Amino acid sequence: MSASIETTPQNAPAPKPADTRGLAGQTAGDTTICSVNQTQLIYRGYEIADLAEHASFEEVAYLLLIGEKPDAAQAKAFRQELAGMREISPDIAAALAHVVKGNPETHPMSVLRTGVSLLSHSDPECEDNSPEAELRKAKRLLAKIPTLIGACQAALDGRELPANDPSLSHAAYLMLMLTGKTPDELATRIMDVSLVLYAEHDFNASTFTCRVIASTESDLHSAICGGIGALKGPLHGGANEMAMEMLKEIDRDVAAGGTTVSEWMTAAFESKRKLMGFGHRVYKNGDHRAGILRAWGLKYAEQLGPEAKKWFDLGDEVQGIMLDQKNIHPNVDFPCGMTYFVMGIPVPQYTPIFVASRVVGWSAHVMEQHANNRIIRPLANYTGAALRNWNG
Ligand code: CMC
């Protein structure tokens, strides 16, 4: 008898089955767009750190939508094409302002979802799912989403929607829409990097939502509205806002006295509170996007001074305790919250910024789904009542 058989009790419990709720560990289809594994995030063959260092957001958008990296002339033409399509009709801007003014508590993600839906009605190719029309629609949406975000924020701030400046990159234009001011060079670079990091992530919840909608042969705008709905949730894109709100809460509670960061964290663990910006379905040893964005955000904070840097110090302390006590790493949304905060962006706009980038990944997936479509319709494991008669 081998030692291993001798030491295994006869009545040893069967190994715990893998928890597959939420489709954990399941592969739901093929894609050529993106690969996510424990150590790498790859867009069409290029690793994310390589892209974050060397490619602009527009170049990454071209890569994801068209399939290959652009040469210099193609990149310039693509950037100019996008910059020329940013305007939205005054009616749509007015409708969004009306929504915001009538319902000041409405979340900007809901306003953005309405904005994309409104854009669909005037898009001449809304119902055309051919690859050529879908690419044109994807570009129009990409170009106009910052303007939708701007229409919402301008209404909230009670200021005019700034005019388009076609010389600005997608990142700089987005910052103009969010703050009413043209950003400095470092802020533009950091926003650009964050958009590169957020652009694509294989079958995450919102992208999968888009693919399910596309698989019914529905249209791109409908899929993107669904994607926005899925991204809004705090377990997904909404986490970048919630991560910053959590840091503000810790800072407030510590400043009020009676608790330390460590005690606050212990209380959170005891109440089984989910800490926002931590954990990931795929990355169990850390999200490599987080380190890239933290380094850029910290650079901006250090330039501003101690009042800004204190958020990164607090973030590091929280991150250290989480790792030490729970072995859970931060995801990209954790440094994102702090970074956008020190850049002066209103917190409720963090997830709409995510949309201004991820719309590229969503559109690429809708096109890929339509190119080789079969309706996505899984089975359910029924666990309900046994068969019974209505009349007893
Ligand atoms: N805080 C506290 N505990 C956590 C956290 C967290 N942030 N994340 C995971 N855990 C616990 C979880 O409760 C579970 O414990 P137990 O086994 O006792 O039930 C254990 O760790 C394993 O969780 P998991 O199976 O790895 O989690 P999941 O794959 O079901 O969920 C997640 C992944 C990202 C939804 C989850 O980690 C979470 O809710 N994080 C906070 C929200 C967040 O930051 N979301 C952003 C995700 S990444 C970028 C994006 O999509 O925007």
Side-chain angles (χ1 to χ4, degrees):
M1 223 182 245
S2 77
S4 65
I5 293 173
E6 259 179 341
T7 54
T8 306
Q10 291 277 319
N11 57 353
K16 210 174 148 196
D19 182 359
T20 55
R21 285 171 309 141
L23 299 179
Q26 313 291 306
T27 300
D30 295 341
T31 183
T32 62
I33 301 167
C34 176
S35 161
V36 179
N37 62 48
Q38 288 301 327
T39 53
Q40 286 171 316
L41 163 58
I42 297 170
Y43 297 173
R44 297 207 188 269
Y46 298 95
E47 216 276 322
I48 195 67
D50 186 12
L51 293 170
E53 193 172 343
H54 300 117
S56 69
F57 173 70
E58 282 89 336
E59 288 170 317
V60 167
Y62 185 104
L63 170 72
L64 289 168
L65 290 173
I66 290 157
E68 290 298 333
K69 75 179 254 198
D71 62 26
Q74 288 166 328
K76 188 173 172 210
F78 185 68
R79 183 174 149 157
Q80 282 174 347
E81 188 184 4
L82 290 181
M85 296 192 297
R86 288 174 177 155
E87 274 178 29
I88 60 173
S89 90
D91 287 350
I92 292 181
L96 296 186
H98 183 73
V99 167
V100 167
K101 283 177 188 148
N103 313 277
E105 297 305 315
T106 293
H107 195 281
M109 280 292 272
S110 302
V111 179
L112 184 54
R113 189 195 59 226
T114 299
V116 170
S117 195
L118 287 172
L119 283 179
S120 73
H121 303 297
S122 54
D123 193 301
E125 298 179 296
C126 180
E127 304 299 337
D128 186 346
N129 288 350
S130 67
E132 300 77 18
E134 287 209 313
L135 179 58
R136 286 191 292 270
K137 285 189 287 184
K139 288 193 239 174
R140 285 196 283 273
L141 266 175
L142 173 59
K144 291 179 196 307
I145 280 175
T147 318
L148 295 176
I149 292 171
C152 171
Q153 192 57 43
L156 284 166
D157 293 346
R159 58 174 163 82
E160 289 294 307
L161 178 63
N164 183 21
D165 175 352
S167 73
L168 296 181
S169 66
H170 191 74
Y173 178 67
L174 180 58
M175 286 290 288
L176 172 68
M177 291 292 106
L178 286 162
T179 63
K181 297 187 202 100
T182 305
D184 62 38
E185 209 176 303
L186 183 57
T188 303
R189 175 80 176 110
I190 296 172
M191 178 54 72
D192 194 77
V193 170
S194 77
L195 297 177
V196 168
L197 300 177
Y198 269 143
E200 167 53 12
H201 216 221
D202 81 13
F203 282 9
N204 60 87
S206 57
T207 301
F208 195 60
T209 302
C210 291
R211 288 194 77 126
V212 170
I213 294 171
S215 83
T216 69
E217 295 187 357
S218 187
D219 62 283
L220 181 71
H221 285 79
S222 296
I224 302 301
C225 285
I228 293 173
L231 191 74
K232 183 183 175 202
L235 298 191
H236 191 10
N240 59 9
E241 297 174 23
M242 301 306 287
M244 191 60 221
E245 293 297 358
M246 182 184 80
L247 283 184
K248 288 203 282 182
E249 185 185 334
I250 298 173
D251 183 60
R252 245 189 340 260
D253 290 353
V254 171
T259 191
T260 62
V261 177
S262 171
E263 286 164 358
W264 192 99
M265 297 282 287
T266 303
F269 296 147
E270 279 169 2
S271 66
K272 301 240 174 273
R273 177 172 172 168
K274 277 256 168 87
L275 297 193
M276 291 295 140
F278 287 92
H280 200 275
R281 171 58 62 78
V282 181
Y283 303 127
K284 297 304 176 195
N285 308 313
D287 174 342
H288 22 293
R289 297 170 299 176
I292 299 171
L293 196 50
R294 180 191 170 278
W296 279 107
L298 179 61
K299 190 172 177 171
Y300 198 80
E302 281 171 341
Q303 183 188 275
L304 291 175
E307 266 308 295
K309 187 172 173 289
K310 79 166 194 186
W311 297 107
F312 284 81
D313 295 338
L314 176 59
D316 285 352
E317 194 175 352
V318 168
Q319 184 174 320
I321 296 169
M322 194 68 173
L323 203 53
D324 188 47
Q325 299 201 18
K326 293 280 170 188
N327 197 26
I328 298 177
H329 293 260
N331 57 56
V332 65
D333 289 326
F334 190 63
C336 176
M338 296 176 257
T339 301
Y340 290 166
F341 190 73
V342 298
M343 287 165 71
I345 299 168
V347 177
Q349 291 290 6
Y350 296 0
T351 321
I353 296 173
F354 199 154
V355 176
S357 166
R358 185 58 62 83
V359 66
V360 169
W362 291 338
S363 301
H365 278 274
V366 167
M367 289 190 274
E368 188 177 64
Q369 183 67 38
H370 279 160
N372 183 22
N373 192 46
R374 191 172 187 200
I375 192 167
I376 297 173
R377 200 301 182 196
L379 299 176
N381 181 36
Y382 179 67
T383 58
L387 194 61
R388 45 193 165 164
N389 288 322
W390 188 255
N391 289 329

